[in-house]
Amino acid sequence: MDVEHDDVWEALRPLSARVMAVPLEAVVPRARLVADLGADSLDITELEAATEELFGVSLKGTDKSGVSTVGDVADLIVRLRAQRSPSPLAR
């Protein structure tokens, strides 16, 4: 993992635990939102809204079909933040 991913993970982990009302120890990168953490559609919606607020990204209109684990959520956030930031090489 890189620094950006580590930062996202450190903030996403407790947020996910709170939203899904599970112990922090249960929130690992491979934990599946529904199958392992018991998330329902309301939990997913709440996690999406809280993620948008915390990380300043919009998940609306993004392809979330491959997102099933907490690690997938972190990866998506990192990708969205990278798209938002202009490249230092682009001048």
Side-chain angles (χ1 to χ4, degrees):
M1 282 197 239
D2 61 16
V3 172
E4 171 76 8
H5 199 277
D6 289 346
D7 291 345
V8 167
W9 178 250
E10 289 304 313
L12 179 62
R13 191 169 179 231
L15 175 66
S16 299
R18 181 185 56 78
V19 168
M20 289 175 267
V22 297
L24 186 61
E25 300 79 37
V27 183
V28 296
R30 292 183 182 222
R32 295 170 295 175
L33 298 169
V34 176
D36 298 329
L37 301 179
D40 60 21
S41 60
L42 182 59
D43 293 329
I44 299 296
T45 301
E46 185 179 343
L47 182 63
E48 192 172 299
T51 297
E52 288 180 353
E53 183 178 327
L54 181 62
F55 296 105
V57 296
S58 176
L59 301 178
K60 292 170 183 56
T62 60
D63 179 17
K64 295 181 277 294
S65 60
V67 177
S68 63
T69 68
V70 183
D72 293 338
V73 175
D75 293 343
L76 177 60
I77 293 165
V78 169
R79 279 195 312 274
L80 291 172
R81 289 177 76 169
Q83 291 172 2
R84 180 184 72 188
S85 307
S87 168
L89 301 176
R91 293 180 187 212

PDB file of all heavy atoms in Angstrom, residues 1 49 53 56 80:
ATOM      1  N   MET A   1       0.850  -1.189   0.000  1.00  0.00           N
ATOM      2  CA  MET A   1       0.000   0.000   0.000  1.00  0.00           C
ATOM      3  C   MET A   1       0.887   1.242   0.000  1.00  0.00           C
ATOM      4  O   MET A   1       1.943   1.257   0.598  1.00  0.00           O
ATOM      5  CB  MET A   1      -0.882   0.032   1.248  1.00  0.00           C
ATOM      6  CG  MET A   1      -2.075  -0.877   1.189  1.00  0.00           C
ATOM      7  SD  MET A   1      -3.297  -0.426   2.441  1.00  0.00           S
ATOM      8  CE  MET A   1      -3.364  -1.940   3.356  1.00  0.00           C
ATOM      9  N   ALA A  49     -22.538   7.867   1.840  1.00  0.00           N
ATOM     10  CA  ALA A  49     -22.682   9.287   2.186  1.00  0.00           C
ATOM     11  C   ALA A  49     -21.557   9.746   3.113  1.00  0.00           C
ATOM     12  O   ALA A  49     -20.972  10.823   2.916  1.00  0.00           O
ATOM     13  CB  ALA A  49     -24.040   9.528   2.840  1.00  0.00           C
ATOM     14  N   GLU A  53     -18.510  12.558   2.339  1.00  0.00           N
ATOM     15  CA  GLU A  53     -18.253  13.704   3.217  1.00  0.00           C
ATOM     16  C   GLU A  53     -16.825  13.690   3.761  1.00  0.00           C
ATOM     17  O   GLU A  53     -16.127  14.704   3.739  1.00  0.00           O
ATOM     18  CB  GLU A  53     -19.248  13.701   4.374  1.00  0.00           C
ATOM     19  CG  GLU A  53     -19.094  14.887   5.297  1.00  0.00           C
ATOM     20  CD  GLU A  53     -20.124  14.900   6.406  1.00  0.00           C
ATOM     21  OE1 GLU A  53     -21.258  14.459   6.189  1.00  0.00           O
ATOM     22  OE2 GLU A  53     -19.764  15.354   7.510  1.00  0.00           O
ATOM     23  N   GLY A  56     -14.258  13.776   0.531  1.00  0.00           N
ATOM     24  CA  GLY A  56     -14.457  14.802  -0.479  1.00  0.00           C
ATOM     25  C   GLY A  56     -14.540  14.285  -1.894  1.00  0.00           C
ATOM     26  O   GLY A  56     -14.109  14.944  -2.832  1.00  0.00           O
ATOM     27  N   LEU A  80     -10.632   7.770  -7.033  1.00  0.00           N
ATOM     28  CA  LEU A  80     -11.420   8.987  -7.228  1.00  0.00           C
ATOM     29  C   LEU A  80     -10.637  10.221  -6.796  1.00  0.00           C
ATOM     30  O   LEU A  80     -10.708  11.260  -7.456  1.00  0.00           O
ATOM     31  CB  LEU A  80     -12.741   8.901  -6.463  1.00  0.00           C
ATOM     32  CG  LEU A  80     -13.743   7.887  -7.008  1.00  0.00           C
ATOM     33  CD1 LEU A  80     -14.925   7.749  -6.055  1.00  0.00           C
ATOM     34  CD2 LEU A  80     -14.214   8.271  -8.400  1.00  0.00           C
TER      35      LEU A  80
END
